[in-house]
Amino acid sequence: MYVGTLSFDLLLGDVRSLKEKRSVVRPIVAELHRKFAVSVAEVGEQDLYRRAEIGVAMVSGDTGHLSDVLDRCERLMAARPEVELLSVRRRLHGDDD
C-alpha cells in the first residue's frame, strides 16, 4: 500500500474577502475530488483571504498509478487562471515507512 500527498500553496487573484475566497477554493476542491477520486481539502491559510493551502491525498497499491494521478492533479492546479501556484510539496509513503 502506498499513500501519496500533495500540498498546494496558492495565491488567489482578485479576492477581497473570505467569502470571495470560498467561492474560488470550493470549486477547485470539488473538481479535484470529482475528476481524480482523491481526498482533498483546504488545509491551511484559512484566515488569509488571498492565500490558500489545499491538500490532496490518495491511497493506491501501485506507485505508478499514484504518481500519474498526483501529476494530473498538479497540472490541473497549474492551469487554473484564477490562482497562482506558489509551491507544491509531494510525499510518497510506503509500507516500510
Side-chain angles (χ1 to χ4, degrees), residues 37-88:
V38 294
S39 296
V40 57
E42 184 180 2
V43 295
E45 309 293 355
Q46 280 110 348
D47 56 341
L48 301 175
Y49 64 90
R50 292 216 50 227
R51 295 288 297 271
E53 185 177 352
I54 295 178
V56 174
M58 182 181 170
V59 176
S60 178
D62 176 30
T63 58
H65 175 66
L66 183 61
S67 293
D68 179 53
V69 172
L70 294 179
D71 287 343
R72 288 189 283 151
C73 289
E74 189 172 340
R75 282 193 300 271
L76 179 90
M77 288 301 299
R80 300 289 300 215
E82 70 273 21
V83 299
E84 180 181 341
L85 186 57
L86 299 176
S87 69
V88 179

